[in-house]
Amino acid sequence: MAPRTNGVGIRPEETRICVVMVGLPARGKSYIAQKAQRYLKWLSIPAATFNVGNYRRNDAPHPSADFFDTNNAEGERKRRAAAEAAVADMMKWFKSGGVVGILDATNSTKERRKWVLDRINQEGVDVIFVESKCDEEELIMANIRDVKTTSPDYQGQDPEQAALDFRNRIRNYEKVYKTINADGDEDHLTYLKIMNVGRQVIINRIQDYLQSRIVYYLMNLHIRPRSVWLSRHGESMLNLEGRIGGDADLSHRGEEYALKLPELVLESVGSDRPLTVWTSTLKRTIATARHLPKHYNQLQWKALDELDAGVCDGMTYQEIADMYPEDFQARDEDKYNYRYRGGESYRDVVIRLEPIIMELERSEDILIISHQAVIRCIYAYFMQKTQEESPWVPVPLHTLMKLTPRAYGTEVQIYKAEVKAVSTWRGKGSTAKHEDPKPEGGV
Ligand code: ATP
Ligand code: F6P
């Protein structure tokens, strides 16, 4: 029998990778670490980040710039202890089944990188260094203003003073910083070096499948301002009947939503800059997109088609409960993993959406018009919803969602079209045709 994978070609028992971040402060290391972790977890690959700064804060909560001067023996000792504690916790985490651990620290000298490599290799874990190198002064200053002055390191301090101190902290790091392989004696390392947010990239000795997946993902990240808009199609004729799947036309109210959508989009964009529109290949999403301005590029993706309900396609929940009672119950017990007979599970949908996520990361403003399960999976990626939560998130019809990536999270804005529609949300155990979500849930 072929060895089991988690569906994305990873055999957790055989792969363990430590991603070691490298770079001066305010170069987006935590940003990159956090995105990689979110992406991997979304793909069911156990991933965790160990931020050395958090460990250091236990011992030195509000250090000033000279704490980071390498001539400061006390500072050096505490920083080393923090790195050791972070690595030790990471090793424990690997032993409990972790697959990709991310060590988020500056690791900015050759000596530190050698220590990290030896320490981690000793435990049979592979190391890939990911360096962010950036010399765009304006961007660095913006990073300091946006995220550093509000760091717990500067709690209660004047932001101007904090920015000045952080600049001095960077100067202390610059005195000893060596970019990877600067002297040509780190060529044996496996690394990805991202320069000026991906304008140039160096890849060295990337070995296996998972490493190349991580590298490919990181190469596609950008930080230009942008948003992603998500909408379900307008209400369909099958929605009215409480039937799942199919390829129905829009209902009268669904048509009304399609007519209203351009206005709603314009309101949420706040300017006439064009969006690129991605729909599924099903009639109801294409019809929903058809009144959008002609200068919006439109693209149909098979990967955005609704979760395939297999033999249950076109049935009501009551009919499924009557005809396949065990399946109906099994789905409620583990909705993420339950695969319809001859169809798909949420897990399957996530896997087929992976190229969509990759393309979204590379792109700028995109409006996706798709389906309930698919939108839930994309929403889960941006909002870090767990596998238990994501299949139950209420995503009402006739509602536009605008997701805007920020430094350490995603901002959500909701625009309601005020065109009535049935509810297609279903609570656990229910076979109701149109049940309204509990008020506390979701969008
Ligand atoms: P520190 O060493 O102080 O922890 P850091 O390198 O981890 O700093 P972050 O906290 O991640 O820096 O900085 C976040 C900011 O970096 C965000 O505003 C983000 O837009 C920006 N950023 C993301 N990627 C990059 C990159 N490749 N180069 C420069 N800046 C980036
Ligand atoms: O200076 C930025 C920072 O993230 C500190 O918060 C943290 O203590 C340090 O980097 C960790 O890196 P190093 O390995 O250089 O101590």
Side-chain angles (χ1 to χ4, degrees), residues 25 52-53 56-57 68 79 105-108 112 153 169 173:
V52 173
R56 183 264 302 151
R57 263 186 283 279
F68 298 93
R79 289 168 60 193
T106 59
N107 300 307
S108 48
R112 174 58 68 88
D153 284 1
R169 180 191 296 197
Y173 274 98

Side-chain angles (χ1 to χ4, degrees), residues 182-345:
D183 303 330
D185 55 358
E186 290 183 301
D187 191 46
H188 57 291
L189 301 183
T190 294
Y191 67 87
L192 164 70
K193 198 186 288 196
I194 303 171
M195 284 172 282
N196 290 326
V197 206
R199 202 169 309 142
Q200 209 188 341
V201 172
I202 298 176
I203 300 173
N204 197 57
R205 297 186 191 271
I206 299 301
Q207 286 152 16
D208 65 15
Y209 176 70
L210 182 54
Q211 288 185 9
S212 45
R213 286 287 284 266
I214 296 170
V215 165
Y216 185 57
Y217 174 76
L218 295 182
M219 280 170 58
N220 280 306
L221 299 183
H222 72 77
I223 53 168
R224 294 182 295 280
R226 53 87 172 264
S227 297
V228 174
W229 286 259
L230 303 177
S231 171
R232 291 176 66 190
H233 52 80
E235 182 186 72
S236 76
M237 297 306 285
L238 284 186
N239 291 151
L240 281 178
E241 294 175 31
R243 295 187 180 279
I244 65 170
D247 190 12
D249 290 321
L250 296 182
S251 71
H252 181 68
R253 296 189 301 199
E255 292 286 356
E256 240 184 279
Y257 178 67
L259 283 168
K260 214 125 186 231
L261 188 58
E263 194 185 305
L264 209 59
V265 169
L266 203 69
E267 181 196 338
S268 74
V269 175
S271 74
D272 58 3
R273 78 176 190 273
L275 308 182
T276 300
V277 183
W278 296 353
T279 66
S280 73
T281 64
L282 298 171
K283 285 192 291 192
R284 55 196 186 277
T285 63
I286 297 168
T288 305
R290 79 187 187 286
H291 302 296
L292 288 164
K294 291 281 167 281
H295 63 285
Y296 284 18
N297 279 331
Q298 293 203 13
L299 198 66
Q300 293 169 17
W301 293 77
K302 182 92 181 114
L304 289 174
D305 284 2
E306 182 54 310
L307 182 147
D308 181 352
V311 295
C312 296
D313 189 71
M315 292 169 76
T316 63
Y317 291 118
Q318 186 60 57
E319 286 168 353
I320 300 172
D322 292 343
M323 198 168 301
Y324 304 105
E326 283 168 18
D327 286 62
F328 190 76
Q329 199 186 338
R331 188 162 200 259
D332 273 359
E333 276 162 17
D334 186 0
K335 198 173 172 192
Y336 189 83
N337 288 304
Y338 171 81
R339 179 181 283 154
Y340 277 109
R341 297 170 186 230
E344 290 179 302
S345 63

Side-chain angles (χ1 to χ4, degrees), residues 52 75-86 111-112 115:
V52 173
E76 280 290 280
R77 189 185 60 72
K78 287 186 172 170
R79 289 168 60 193
R80 172 70 185 225
E84 278 169 10
E111 296 66 36
R112 174 58 68 88
W115 172 77

